[in-house]
Amino acid sequence: MSIETVGVVGAGQMGNGIAHVLALAGYEVRLNDISQDSLDAAISRISKNMDRQVSREQITAQEMDDAMRRISTTLSLPDLGPSDLVIEAASENESLKKQIFDTLLPHLSPDTILTSNTSSISITRLASGTDRPERFMGFHFMNPVPLMKLVELIRGIATDEPTYQSCLAVVEKLGKTAASAEDYPAFIVNRILIPMINEACYALYEGVGSVSSIDASMKLGANHPMGPLELGDFIGLDTCLAIMNVLHDGLADTKYRPCPLLVKYVEAGWVGRKAGRGFYDYRGEAPVPTR
């Protein structure tokens, strides 16, 4: 199936990045959210990020203008119905995702491919609640979307080959690399990454090191560009906890037990950069460790 129009559900950090790269690649994009303020903020962020690309001569001003014209916004999910491809990029909450798909289904054309940007939830389970499990798959972008080169493509048990090939063609047109992952909890990247962040939380919880020493150790000792606690704040500690819970529930192995300190930070609402506080306090001129 040739894909020309793409609907993106959710205008947050992931959704606006997905809309950004799709529009630059020549796709007509319709971006949906429940809040007009979120849609306005997303368009502003996309424009700002493309401006940065123009200033760095990564794209031309004309390419930016053309891409911005390809993006439209809507508060109505049914408006995404005629799309060739829909990418759901809402919060990592299974019941919310199912509710979105239930609302969309009556308005989709028979050939529309339905995908989720979920970072951990079972694609097979999400697909089973739709009328098109064979045309449903995981389409997991990395954050920040315009910079990261990888996209995980996850087939559910019923996903057919034409659906996979259509999504693979989109990834290639975006200039990114696809990694095919089996439909097991957290797939590839987060199966490895999030337990590392959780282990860093345990090291902090048990007093092995401070926030600063743990992050410095991994940056300088393992050549990581960001320390694990800094990265957790960037991803969102609530998202990290949600993925750890998926791993713990799905694999029933105690090594995936979420660290109690991670749970406490989320309970406090200190979920990272987006909240102004996490393992670092971001409300001043420079981030300050909170522990």
Side-chain angles (χ1 to χ4, degrees):
M1 173 180 179
S2 176
I3 293 172
E4 297 178 357
T5 59
V6 185
V8 179
V9 183
Q13 191 173 40
M14 295 304 295
N16 77 65
I18 293 168
H20 174 144
V21 297
L22 287 167
L24 271 180
Y27 294 101
E28 294 294 328
V29 181
R30 177 151 290 186
L31 182 60
N32 162 264
D33 202 278
I34 58 172
S35 160
Q36 186 62 50
D37 287 345
S38 295
L39 290 172
D40 293 342
I43 294 299
S44 175
R45 178 170 291 277
I46 292 169
S47 178
K48 181 179 178 182
N49 288 340
M50 285 191 192
D51 265 332
R52 187 179 296 117
Q53 289 178 295
V54 171
S55 69
R56 293 174 179 173
E57 299 184 346
Q58 295 168 336
I59 62 174
T60 66
Q62 186 62 56
E63 286 171 331
M64 174 181 168
D65 290 343
D66 292 344
M68 292 302 298
R69 277 196 294 269
R70 292 187 194 107
I71 303 173
S72 60
T73 63
T74 179
L75 294 169
S76 173
L77 262 178
D79 287 348
L80 272 52
S83 305
D84 299 324
L85 168 68
V86 173
I87 302 174
E88 172 273 313
S91 301
E92 194 70 351
N93 179 307
E94 186 167 349
S95 62
L96 173 62
K97 292 180 187 295
K98 286 183 174 180
Q99 181 182 337
I100 287 168
F101 297 139
D102 287 346
T103 303
L104 267 173
L105 287 174
H107 307 280
L108 296 178
S109 67
D111 294 328
T112 297
I113 294 174
L114 199 52
T115 69
S116 176
N117 184 58
T118 179
S119 53
S120 63
I121 298 168
S122 168
I123 297 302
T124 298
R125 193 164 64 242
L126 289 174
S128 69
T130 75
D131 63 354
R132 61 196 66 217
E134 72 284 354
R135 289 191 300 282
F136 190 108
M137 69 181 300
F139 208 130
H140 181 216
F141 289 85
M142 305 296 121
N143 184 34
V145 178
L147 299 180
M148 302 296 279
K149 296 298 184 182
L150 184 76
V151 178
E152 282 183 312
L153 291 180
I154 307 101
R155 303 187 205 217
I157 197 169
T159 306
D160 64 22
E161 185 64 18
T163 294
Y164 173 79
Q165 291 297 332
S166 294
C167 290
L168 178 60
V170 172
V171 175
E172 291 172 346
K173 189 173 178 181
L174 295 177
K176 297 186 183 295
T177 299
S180 294
E182 293 300 318
D183 186 23
Y184 293 111
F187 319 130
I188 296 172
V189 173
N190 285 323
R191 172 75 176 265
I192 298 166
L193 175 64
I194 300 299
M196 181 193 75
I197 293 172
N198 192 56
E199 194 62 27
C201 294
Y202 269 113
L204 180 63
Y205 175 62
E206 294 169 2
V208 178
S210 65
V211 169
S212 298
S213 60
I214 291 168
D215 276 353
S217 294
M218 293 307 293
K219 284 193 285 189
L220 303 178
N223 204 28
H224 289 191
M226 296 174 74
L229 300 174
E230 181 185 6
L231 181 56
D233 277 358
F234 180 75
I235 294 168
L237 301 184
D238 51 343
T239 300
C240 293
L241 179 59
I243 296 169
M244 282 307 299
N245 282 327
V246 167
L247 282 165
H248 192 232
D249 294 344
L251 299 171
D253 191 323
T254 55
K255 73 179 180 178
Y256 298 116
R257 182 172 68 96
C259 176
L261 184 61
L262 174 60
V263 174
K264 286 296 179 189
Y265 267 70
V266 174
E267 287 177 342
W270 292 18
V271 295
R273 284 180 176 270
K274 61 187 176 184
R277 277 189 293 191
F279 289 113
Y280 293 85
D281 189 326
Y282 299 93
R283 296 173 298 172
E285 290 186 7
V288 178
T290 56
R291 205 170 183 87

